[in-house]
Amino acid sequence: MTSKLRKSLPLILWAFLIFLGSSLPSAKASDNGLVDFAAHKLAHIFEYGVLFLLYYRSIVENVREKRPDKIFQALLFVVLFGAFDEYHQSFVPGRSARVADVMIDFIGGVLSLFVWWSLQRLAQRKQKN
């Protein structure tokens, strides 16, 4: 398996799982409206945070590099895929498309970026000590 395919396969599989999940009718996480809302939004944040990391990993040679152009590209991918997924959901019975969910997807990507940066800094500090 080529290096590029090995780096891209997890991204492709994860994107497929997101697409597959959004093809299903919406399910309640809880009878409590607030808990249900929070669970769905946290799921978006997690899904698209992982999507950001997998995309970034697939387009850079060294994952530890902080390449602003590639980071921007990965965040743009998250937004575009989120918009595509919301559009797709508009055709699924019981689902709807929401711009707010695309924004939450973007927030998931940004949060993932900050966690990644923080872990990088922590690892660098440990190496210096």
Side-chain angles (χ1 to χ4, degrees):
M1 187 182 293
T2 68
S3 175
K4 192 164 188 100
L5 180 59
R6 189 172 40 245
K7 283 182 163 184
S8 298
L9 192 57
L11 169 67
I12 293 165
L13 292 173
W14 190 255
F16 177 74
L17 286 174
I18 291 173
F19 184 82
L20 188 65
S22 65
S23 299
L24 302 171
S26 185
K28 282 189 170 188
S30 171
D31 288 331
N32 182 318
L34 183 60
V35 171
D36 185 59
F37 176 82
H40 280 96
K41 299 317 167 198
L42 287 173
H44 270 268
I45 289 170
F46 175 77
E47 290 170 0
Y48 284 85
V50 170
L51 188 71
F52 167 82
L53 291 172
L54 291 174
Y55 185 86
Y56 184 76
R57 178 181 175 264
S58 74
I59 61 173
V60 296
E61 292 298 317
N62 181 353
V63 182
R64 295 180 183 192
E65 288 181 64
K66 293 178 184 162
R67 299 267 319 265
D69 59 325
K70 301 298 184 184
I71 290 169
F72 175 78
Q73 184 180 342
L75 288 172
L76 181 62
F77 176 78
V78 164
V79 169
L80 292 175
F81 190 85
F84 165 75
D85 191 50
E86 289 300 314
Y87 176 73
H88 163 249
Q89 283 184 42
S90 71
F91 298 102
V92 177
R95 304 292 293 261
S96 61
R98 294 187 175 102
V99 173
D101 283 346
V102 177
M103 294 176 76
I104 291 169
D105 299 340
F106 173 72
I107 290 168
V110 171
L111 287 175
S112 184
L113 171 62
F114 284 125
V115 168
W116 172 69
W117 270 345
S118 298
L119 291 175
Q120 291 295 321
R121 284 184 176 179
L122 185 62
Q124 288 172 352
R125 286 181 191 158
K126 284 187 176 186
Q127 283 181 347
K128 289 179 182 178
N129 293 335

